[in-house]
Amino acid sequence: MSLPAPRRRVAVIGTGAIVTGSHLPALRAHAERVELVAAVDVDQGRLDAFRQLAGARIDGFTSTDAMLDAVHPDLVLIGTPPALHREQTVAALGAGAWVLCEKPLCLSPAELDDITAAEEASGAYAAVVFQHRYGSGAVHARDLITRGELGAPLVAHCQTTWHRDTAYYCLPWRGRWATEGGGPTMGHGIHQYDLLLHLLGEWEEIRAMAARLVHDIESEDVSTALVRFRNGALATVVNSVLSPAEVSRIRVDCADATVELTHLYGHGNDDWVYTPAPHVDPERAAAWRTPAHDVPSSHTAQLGALLDAYDRGVRPPGSGQDARAALDFAAALYKAAFTGRPVRAGEIGPGDPYYTAMHGDHPDWAPKERA
């Protein structure tokens, strides 16, 4: 009889809203498996408030390196602005800790190569938060699609149409390439098209458009794409922060059924709807219903999957190729939009300007020198 795995010692880097609102509840939900031992924040007041909120005796630090040297955590959760993700992830991996980092894991394919090298050197792993993959409805839908139970995927739509006002962009790191990595393509829609990629697999070609229609920012405030998948399916992807009626939606039309997900920031089983084609036997369609046990998409669900992998000593979901797929898709979408030509899977590598920055040094989109 095997002994239960020990509780993993966890540190958080960043103590803002995403950590207090999502990571801390996830840690509490898995309290029998994890112990929060440290927190890092450059703002001492915010750090002190978080330590009080956490309700446990945890060490506080204003430096990531100081925390790693003193605490040696098993797992580090990162919830800082995007420009800090690569440096903090590489540092944590170098200290032997596994990492679960908010999206985007980093700002370019080149930065992801740095993280991959750090993984290989340390033997630890870095996963990105794509919590929508982990709800029971998403697990069920992917199983049906990949097993061919719904017939061949044919047409898909992926929609992240949200609304962000001028005040949202008052934070100095938002809307800037160097600090956020892009607009809604990187910071908002990435959750939905990551789930689309999870459902449909590898893509072959992207054609795209992007624009700044409202906000005075460096990056785009809307992008659209047409995507051809390796399995032959065609998809549309829309990423917007200009849409007053906010919704997140995925629809996949297969030969025997349409599966639709409609939500905003998270989904449960009831958000998934299956519509059989007229020729499908009702008994067959009845078997497609989402499972009785409802696991909402959440940081809690993803943390559980990561801890399962940690206990087995295997690469966690959300790392490696899982993390690269969404980042490569974003780079290809930007390149297709800014160059006005199709981009093939795998064409962006060292030497390509979109390998090192999502704006690709395009004269209409690259950051301008500030006066």
Side-chain angles (χ1 to χ4, degrees):
M1 181 177 179
S2 60
L3 295 174
R7 292 174 76 198
R8 308 303 178 184
R9 301 172 69 253
V10 180
V12 297
I13 302 177
T15 61
I18 193 63
V19 173
T20 58
S22 296
H23 288 282
L24 186 55
L27 291 169
R28 287 171 171 164
H30 293 287
E32 77 285 356
R33 306 181 68 182
V34 297
E35 177 188 7
L36 180 60
V37 296
V40 180
D41 202 301
V42 296
D43 185 317
Q44 186 67 55
R46 191 166 55 209
L47 176 62
D48 292 342
F50 176 80
R51 294 174 68 192
Q52 183 174 6
L53 177 66
R57 181 176 173 80
I58 62 173
D59 294 327
F61 299 86
T62 56
S63 160
T64 293
D65 289 340
M67 180 276 291
L68 293 171
D69 289 342
V71 176
H72 305 291
D74 300 310
L75 172 64
V76 171
L77 309 181
I78 297 177
T80 53
L84 303 174
H85 289 178
R86 174 186 59 174
E87 178 183 357
Q88 292 168 342
T89 296
V90 168
L93 290 170
W98 285 33
V99 174
L100 180 59
C101 179
E102 282 298 320
K103 55 76 185 168
L105 181 57
C106 54
L107 302 188
S108 69
E111 288 194 357
L112 187 55
D113 285 348
D114 293 341
I115 292 173
T116 299
E119 284 187 331
E120 292 173 351
S122 69
Y125 298 109
V128 60
V129 175
F130 284 141
Q131 71 272 22
H132 294 322
R133 290 185 173 207
Y134 299 88
S136 52
V139 173
H140 182 65
R142 184 173 189 265
D143 176 65
L144 292 176
I145 292 171
T146 56
R147 289 194 293 112
E149 290 297 316
L150 306 182
L154 302 173
V155 183
H157 307 277
C158 178
Q159 176 184 353
T160 304
T161 43
W162 294 356
H163 190 267
R164 298 293 183 266
D165 59 15
T166 301
Y168 175 83
Y169 287 103
C170 286
L171 288 178
W173 58 269
R174 283 185 173 149
R176 296 180 58 197
W177 294 106
T179 49
E180 196 170 23
T185 307
M186 277 285 275
H188 304 84
I190 193 169
H191 278 300
Q192 296 314 303
Y193 64 71
D194 172 74
L195 182 53
L196 182 73
L197 298 173
H198 190 55
L199 295 174
L200 293 185
E202 297 181 354
W203 57 274
E204 288 190 339
E205 180 183 326
I206 298 180
R207 300 168 185 256
M209 300 176 72
R212 299 184 201 97
L213 298 182
V214 173
H215 295 292
D216 182 17
I217 55 178
E218 288 181 347
S219 57
E220 84 291 356
D221 53 20
V222 62
S223 69
T224 64
L226 301 175
V227 187
R228 185 187 305 277
F229 282 85
R230 184 160 296 175
N231 59 21
L234 299 180
T236 62
V237 177
V238 179
N239 309 295
S240 167
V241 289
L242 307 179
S243 308
E246 294 186 297
V247 70
S248 305
R249 180 178 291 127
I250 287 180
R251 170 175 169 150
V252 180
D253 297 322
C254 299
D256 295 338
T258 292
V259 55
E260 296 177 272
L261 166 66
T262 304
H263 66 117
L264 187 55
Y265 298 137
H267 58 78
N269 283 354
D270 289 344
D271 298 313
W272 294 82
V273 176
Y274 293 82
T275 304
H279 64 267
V280 172
D281 184 275
E283 290 188 6
R284 179 185 171 199
W288 299 338
R289 285 195 298 263
T290 51
H293 183 53
D294 190 354
V295 178
S297 65
S298 64
H299 287 65
T300 298
Q302 181 165 2
L303 179 59
L306 185 144
L307 292 171
D308 289 344
Y310 197 117
D311 291 347
R312 298 195 307 271
V314 299
R315 174 176 286 282
S319 68
Q321 186 53 42
D322 286 349
R324 186 171 294 276
L327 198 68
D328 284 350
F329 185 90
L333 193 158
Y334 279 122
K335 182 176 181 178
F338 296 166
T339 64
R341 67 173 185 81
V343 174
R344 305 284 298 184
E347 78 171 57
I348 297 176
D352 189 305
Y354 292 88
Y355 171 75
T356 52
M358 293 294 177
H359 55 70
D361 287 327
H362 190 281
D364 295 335
W365 288 95
K368 306 297 190 294
E369 290 188 9
R370 295 177 180 266

